Amino acid sequence: MSAKQKRFFLSEDEIPRYWYNIQADMVNKPMPPLNPQTKEPLKPEDLYPIFAKELCHQELDQENAWIEIPEPVREYYKYWRSTPLVRAYGLEKALGTPAHIYFKNESVSPIGSHKLNSAIPQAYYCQQEGVTNVTTETGAGQWGAALSYAAKLFGLEAAVYQVKISYEQKPYRRSIMQTFGAQVTPSPSMSTRAGKDILTQTPNHQGSLGTAISEAIELARTTPNCKYTLGSVLSHVSLHQTIIGLEAEKQMEMAGEYPDIVIGCFGGGSNFAGISFPFMRHTIKDGRKTRYIAAEPASCPKLTRGKFQYDFADEAGYTPLLPMYTLGHKFAPANIHAGGLRFHGAGVIVSQLLKDGLMEAVDIPQLETFETGCLFARAEGIIPAPESCHAIAAAVREAKKCIETGEEKVILFNLSGHGLVDMASYDQYLAGNLMNYSLPDEMIEKSLES
Amino acid sequence: MSAKQKRFFLSEDEIPRYWYNIQADMVNKPMPPLNPQTKEPLKPEDLYPIFAKELCHQELDQENAWIEIPEPVREYYKYWRSTPLVRAYGLEKALGTPAHIYFKNESVSPIGSHKLNSAIPQAYYCQQEGVTNVTTETGAGQWGAALSYAAKLFGLEAAVYQVKISYEQKPYRRSIMQTFGAQVTPSPSMSTRAGKDILTQTPNHQGSLGTAISEAIELARTTPNCKYTLGSVLSHVSLHQTIIGLEAEKQMEMAGEYPDIVIGCFGGGSNFAGISFPFMRHTIKDGRKTRYIAAEPASCPKLTRGKFQYDFADEAGYTPLLPMYTLGHKFAPANIHAGGLRFHGAGVIVSQLLKDGLMEAVDIPQLETFETGCLFARAEGIIPAPESCHAIAAAVREAKKCIETGEEKVILFNLSGHGLVDMASYDQYLAGNLMNYSLPDEMIEKSLES
């Protein structure tokens, strides 16, 4: 029992007023996305039909390191930001580690995850440009819930295509979106040409992020004043998420420490980018020695076992070609419960950083993530989202190394969300019904070839 | 869009170090609980077999206005306290009211509700007295989840009897308790004499708080080093919850305002007590004119339509006789979704305060609570628990009156919990499947007679 401070907050006027665009500081810039027909590098204008213009510019901006957060966005950030930086005394004690473990608690967002950090500016820029309707896809439903709420804040209509199997398995997430007033459609649906094609070719198709992306893009393209939005992978989403690390940097200063290791779980990359990029600028610019670890599922290991190459972001191949670590856009990940990490590719910035050795990646088997989730829940009181359990597991691995070496390393990880809407997966774990998935090399090779 | 401050926090050293015991300041003290056999007033010792000794003394303490919060409890409070006091700019705008609406956001607790405020000291006192096992009952599961986590913090084994219908209908809440390591048994069960009696007399009995209380008390009585714990109704639970109002008082000062109206939803009374008693002391001692409104469900209206009389707290009549507003301990409330408010009686302190005209009560029909819950979710981003929707609905009624009168009244309510584990009930509401329940006077009379 210690009287030392547990949680660190910023006052509202200390909340950062700029996002950090790491592209401006990178020595090796990310390679450009390509038009799949012409193979020409994309210009912002090429993306105008799909995204709000301001977001298209943010996406490809390699000049400006600091992008001002619009005032209305900052006003809504105040609804839950700053999120607490927490010293995990309970977890340290449970492990018996000399390490100092901190986590940034993004689960306190109204939606329960970090996704709102980007949903609000995306909805804002759309509204500013006269857009009235937004579309998106969602798998587990975290992003869909965030966008539904953000759309409501700016008076926009939201239409969400939710992967059909998830729509049926996670009715609570659907209800959350509907409570915020969004229209939710299970994908594939008969409401789009893409959906019809899929359902006539493959009746009873259970849906995937690929089908949902195709439907959401098609709806945006065929509807006046309607834009598409995405919850991860893209560089402008990572940009918005840097509010996490920028706050954490100030809060670590309040705690009188600086992280030796920064950890985030990894799906498309935006949550990892959010916690790590603001610290990484000191590594890039001042040579500060900090390790950055992305924690991905062993069953979807694009960073640890994928290839760096140009690939599509969706199964149907509607998106631009992106230079990224990928398992192939036809890769079908095992049905693990961390739905938010079941994506075949990594964002272009993170891919370049990994290629350049500025960061590391580890893959975590499913059972280890839930074991760690239960340990964390009992020690810190917060039941973590299955996705976030990957970051905690990586942090616990590092903290256990410190037991052996006796080092008081400072470990910071991002708790991207809580698991209160994912209890069915904990239920399965506690009942002994979950398993690890082995992924033979041949499966990855095959997927990359197709 | 305003640049005014949205949320107010206390630093860790500003978190109150004492709970407030309103019994000491009340002019008319609560009447004593009675031994049902002898009809003699209870002494603390009479409760020793059931509760930790310190809690027995707190229960009947009418002398000490301030009870020190033990340091280990304060250390764990820091895991999520202070909770934010929030200015509901979004809700004010949605209503177009000149009222200033504030809410204390207890939903940010790891468990998602205020229940942890009492679970932690209850587990602490048990552990201090050498208790190794704790039991309790839970209906909706909020209290059971809080106790499960608190027990784990102090190394205690927790056994929770969950009302059988709720055990089956709300598997997520059960999983939360199990994730924290508790044993959860649907009640009535064959594991106790009380349970066996009920199940042989009424096969397929769906359970009630009454059956679960009986089983939990029996287990505590028949197990060495085992005590029973309760999540509301009792005076020591209300005492622990005053941390809410004590924080809110300091935070309102930071906001430069003082509430004209303080509102809490009402089940057994502890959450209402928590937000209102610290303010009420200024009404009792200094004559400060503030209105205190308890918001109860129209289908379980003990405050607005019950009688003040001695009654049991459980259906089987195992508990002491309590002087309280009650609908009769055999009252079977309609199956509304605010499971935490489905209790036939009110705590003894609140009952006396209502009798003495120091507070008011309103009853809210179910559909109005969900309508208000959706309005609040879209305006403030937080999906409220069905229980908390009662408090919001009462606040909205008052804020609407201000539209007519033009008064800038300051309204404070307690957001006791979020609704993320209650989405099935929102789903039912949005699908048009919920209804209001009418409760004829004769039903109440009949229940009070039996």
Side-chain angles (χ1 to χ4, degrees):
Chain A
M1 198 55 54
S2 147
K4 283 177 285 184
Q5 193 165 342
K6 172 79 180 164
R7 300 192 306 157
F8 300 86
F9 285 98
L10 302 178
S11 66
E12 287 180 7
D13 52 12
E14 291 172 315
I15 298 175
R17 303 167 70 95
Y18 293 82
W19 294 302
Y20 172 60
N21 177 21
I22 198 171
Q23 294 191 75
D25 288 333
M26 288 167 72
V27 179
N28 298 326
K29 306 291 181 196
M31 290 155 62
L34 301 180
N35 180 315
Q37 273 78 51
T38 64
K39 300 284 188 307
E40 287 293 314
L42 282 194
K43 291 186 291 293
E45 304 81 76
D46 299 327
L47 295 169
Y48 284 1
I50 302 180
F51 300 107
K53 290 177 191 171
E54 184 63 30
L55 297 168
C56 302
H57 288 273
Q58 290 178 358
E59 184 64 25
L60 299 172
D61 186 342
Q62 300 188 339
E63 308 278 316
N64 303 292
W66 299 99
I67 311 281
E68 187 167 11
I69 305 173
E71 204 241 332
V73 173
R74 284 193 284 116
E75 281 301 311
Y76 283 122
Y77 275 179
K78 291 201 295 193
Y79 276 46
W80 77 99
R81 308 206 68 85
S82 66
T83 62
L85 174 79
V86 187
R87 174 78 182 267
Y89 290 117
L91 182 61
E92 290 173 17
K93 191 176 150 197
L95 294 170
T97 179
H100 296 194
I101 308 176
Y102 292 83
F103 62 93
K104 182 72 169 160
N105 187 1
E106 289 292 306
S107 82
V108 301
S109 129
I111 305 299
S113 84
H114 67 294
K115 292 291 188 191
L116 211 46
N117 297 331
S118 186
I120 288 178
Q122 289 194 47
Y124 165 76
Y125 289 121
C126 284
Q127 184 236 33
Q128 285 294 296
E129 295 175 16
V131 169
T132 54
N133 294 56
V134 286
T135 75
T136 199
E137 79 292 318
T138 197
Q142 291 272 28
W143 167 249
L147 186 76
S148 300
Y149 169 53
K152 184 56 64 180
L153 288 179
F154 293 101
L156 308 176
E157 274 287 323
V160 182
Y161 288 94
Q162 184 173 14
V163 176
K164 193 194 272 176
I165 182 77
S166 153
Y167 180 91
E168 285 159 6
Q169 284 181 343
K170 304 194 179 210
Y172 278 18
R173 281 268 163 68
R174 168 177 53 74
S175 311
I176 292 172
M177 293 184 265
Q178 289 170 333
T179 299
F180 287 123
Q183 285 191 36
V184 188
T185 307
S187 172
S189 76
M190 294 299 272
S191 69
T192 63
R193 193 182 54 84
K196 283 178 206 164
D197 285 352
I198 293 162
L199 282 173
T200 48
Q201 280 161 33
T202 317
N204 301 313
H205 194 294
Q206 294 210 317
S208 69
L209 276 172
T211 70
I213 292 178
S214 302
E215 291 203 273
I217 291 180
E218 183 183 324
L219 183 63
R221 276 187 170 153
T222 56
T223 309
N225 285 325
C226 182
K227 296 291 175 190
Y228 169 70
T229 64
L230 192 64
S232 189
V233 183
L234 296 175
S235 301
H236 67 266
V237 185
S238 295
L239 173 74
H240 304 153
Q241 295 296 351
T242 58
I243 186 83
I244 301 171
L246 292 165
E247 284 184 0
E249 192 186 352
K250 292 189 184 189
Q251 291 165 311
M252 289 298 303
E253 211 175 304
M254 291 168 72
E257 307 221 63
Y258 192 91
D260 298 304
I261 306 172
V262 179
I263 299 170
C265 64
F266 198 96
S270 71
N271 132 71
F272 171 78
I275 188 74
S276 65
F277 287 0
F279 292 98
M280 206 182 280
R281 83 179 193 275
H282 302 298
T283 301
I284 294 176
K285 292 165 68 101
D286 312 321
R288 182 135 203 175
K289 289 212 188 318
T290 304
R291 290 172 58 205
Y292 308 93
I293 305 176
E296 65 182 6
S299 56
C300 194
K302 57 245 175 193
L303 298 177
T304 50
R305 298 172 66 192
K307 270 193 185 158
F308 184 90
Q309 62 185 34
Y310 271 98
D311 198 2
F312 293 103
D314 70 324
E315 196 185 313
Y318 286 9
T319 67
L321 284 165
L322 302 174
M324 60 183 180
Y325 279 93
T326 178
L327 296 162
H329 66 282
K330 303 270 187 203
F331 181 78
N335 194 20
I336 57 164
H337 284 267
L341 307 185
R342 295 173 72 245
F343 188 71
H344 67 277
V348 302
I349 299 175
V350 169
S351 292
Q352 187 65 45
L353 293 168
L354 182 65
K355 191 157 168 277
D356 290 345
L358 273 153
M359 54 175 277
E360 312 162 38
V362 293
D363 60 324
I364 317 268
Q366 176 161 260
L367 293 180
E368 183 179 343
T369 65
F370 280 98
E371 188 192 347
T372 312
C374 290
L375 171 74
F376 183 79
R378 293 169 195 185
E380 292 290 332
I382 303 163
I383 298 180
E387 291 82 1
S388 313
C389 287
H390 291 72
I392 308 175
V396 165
R397 285 184 183 181
E398 295 297 327
K400 283 182 175 168
K401 287 185 203 162
C402 291
I403 302 175
E404 291 166 34
T405 64
E407 289 173 293
E408 290 189 5
K409 284 207 171 145
V410 178
I411 301 170
L412 167 67
F413 69 86
N414 191 35
L415 184 74
S416 54
H418 65 63
L420 293 179
V421 194
D422 300 284
M423 290 314 301
S425 54
Y426 278 90
D427 218 19
Q428 292 289 306
Y429 170 71
L430 293 169
N433 293 338
L434 295 191
M435 54 183 282
N436 289 329
Y437 294 89
S438 71
L439 183 62
D441 288 337
E442 308 86 70
M443 271 186 64
I444 298 177
E445 281 159 28
K446 210 170 186 177
S447 167
L448 281 165
E449 279 162 19
S450 70
Chain B
M1 199 51 57
S2 147
K4 284 177 284 183
Q5 193 165 343
K6 174 77 180 165
R7 298 191 310 155
F8 301 86
F9 284 99
L10 303 178
S11 67
E12 289 181 6
D13 52 11
E14 291 172 314
I15 299 175
R17 303 166 71 93
Y18 292 82
W19 293 302
Y20 172 60
N21 176 21
I22 198 172
Q23 295 191 73
D25 288 333
M26 288 167 72
V27 178
N28 298 326
K29 306 291 183 198
M31 288 153 64
L34 302 181
N35 179 315
Q37 273 78 50
T38 64
K39 300 286 189 306
E40 288 292 312
L42 283 192
K43 292 186 290 292
E45 303 83 75
D46 299 327
L47 296 169
Y48 284 1
I50 303 180
F51 299 108
K53 289 177 192 172
E54 183 63 30
L55 297 169
C56 302
H57 287 275
Q58 289 178 359
E59 183 65 22
L60 299 172
D61 186 341
Q62 299 189 339
E63 307 278 316
N64 304 293
W66 298 98
I67 311 279
E68 189 167 10
I69 305 174
E71 205 239 333
V73 173
R74 282 193 284 117
E75 281 301 312
Y76 283 123
Y77 274 178
K78 291 200 296 193
Y79 276 45
W80 78 101
R81 309 206 67 86
S82 67
T83 62
L85 175 79
V86 187
R87 173 77 183 266
Y89 290 116
L91 181 61
E92 290 173 17
K93 190 176 150 199
L95 294 170
T97 179
H100 296 194
I101 307 176
Y102 291 84
F103 62 94
K104 182 72 170 160
N105 186 0
E106 289 292 307
S107 82
V108 301
S109 130
I111 306 298
S113 83
H114 67 294
K115 292 292 188 191
L116 211 46
N117 298 331
S118 186
I120 287 178
Q122 289 194 47
Y124 166 74
Y125 289 121
C126 284
Q127 184 235 31
Q128 284 294 295
E129 297 176 15
V131 169
T132 55
N133 294 57
V134 286
T135 75
T136 199
E137 79 293 320
T138 197
Q142 291 271 28
W143 167 249
L147 186 77
S148 301
Y149 169 54
K152 186 56 65 183
L153 288 178
F154 292 102
L156 308 176
E157 273 287 324
V160 182
Y161 288 94
Q162 184 173 14
V163 175
K164 192 193 271 174
I165 182 76
S166 153
Y167 181 92
E168 285 160 5
Q169 283 180 344
K170 305 197 178 206
Y172 278 19
R173 281 269 163 69
R174 168 176 54 73
S175 312
I176 291 171
M177 293 185 264
Q178 289 170 333
T179 300
F180 287 123
Q183 285 191 35
V184 187
T185 308
S187 173
S189 76
M190 294 300 270
S191 70
T192 62
R193 192 182 57 83
K196 283 178 205 165
D197 285 350
I198 294 162
L199 283 173
T200 47
Q201 280 162 31
T202 315
N204 301 312
H205 193 295
Q206 293 210 319
S208 69
L209 277 172
T211 71
I213 292 178
S214 302
E215 291 204 273
I217 291 182
E218 183 183 325
L219 184 63
R221 276 188 171 154
T222 56
T223 309
N225 286 324
C226 183
K227 296 292 176 191
Y228 169 70
T229 64
L230 192 65
S232 188
V233 183
L234 295 175
S235 301
H236 68 266
V237 184
S238 295
L239 173 75
H240 304 152
Q241 295 296 352
T242 58
I243 187 83
I244 301 171
L246 291 166
E247 284 184 2
E249 192 186 350
K250 292 189 184 189
Q251 290 164 311
M252 288 298 303
E253 210 176 304
M254 292 168 72
E257 306 220 64
Y258 192 92
D260 298 304
I261 305 172
V262 179
I263 299 170
C265 63
F266 199 95
S270 70
N271 131 70
F272 171 78
I275 187 76
S276 65
F277 286 0
F279 292 98
M280 206 182 282
R281 82 179 193 276
H282 302 299
T283 302
I284 294 176
K285 291 163 70 102
D286 313 319
R288 183 135 202 174
K289 289 212 188 317
T290 304
R291 290 172 59 205
Y292 308 95
I293 305 176
E296 65 182 5
S299 56
C300 194
K302 58 245 178 195
L303 298 177
T304 50
R305 297 172 66 193
K307 269 194 188 159
F308 184 88
Q309 62 184 37
Y310 271 98
D311 198 2
F312 292 104
D314 69 323
E315 196 185 313
Y318 285 8
T319 68
L321 283 165
L322 301 174
M324 60 182 182
Y325 279 92
T326 178
L327 296 162
H329 65 282
K330 302 271 187 201
F331 181 76
N335 194 20
I336 57 165
H337 285 268
L341 308 186
R342 295 173 72 246
F343 188 69
H344 67 277
V348 302
I349 299 176
V350 169
S351 292
Q352 187 65 45
L353 294 168
L354 182 65
K355 192 156 165 278
D356 290 343
L358 273 151
M359 54 173 280
E360 312 162 37
V362 293
D363 60 323
I364 318 267
Q366 177 160 265
L367 293 179
E368 182 179 343
T369 65
F370 280 98
E371 188 192 345
T372 312
C374 290
L375 171 74
F376 184 79
R378 293 169 195 184
E380 292 290 331
I382 303 164
I383 298 181
E387 291 83 1
S388 313
C389 288
H390 290 72
I392 309 174
V396 165
R397 285 185 185 181
E398 295 297 328
K400 282 182 176 169
K401 286 185 204 163
C402 291
I403 302 174
E404 289 167 35
T405 63
E407 289 173 293
E408 290 189 5
K409 285 208 171 144
V410 178
I411 301 169
L412 167 66
F413 69 87
N414 191 36
L415 184 75
S416 53
H418 65 62
L420 294 178
V421 193
D422 301 284
M423 290 315 300
S425 54
Y426 277 89
D427 218 19
Q428 292 291 306
Y429 170 71
L430 292 169
N433 293 338
L434 296 192
M435 54 183 281
N436 290 330
Y437 294 89
S438 71
L439 183 61
D441 288 335
E442 307 87 68
M443 273 185 67
I444 298 178
E445 281 159 30
K446 212 169 185 177
S447 167
L448 281 166
E449 278 162 21
S450 69

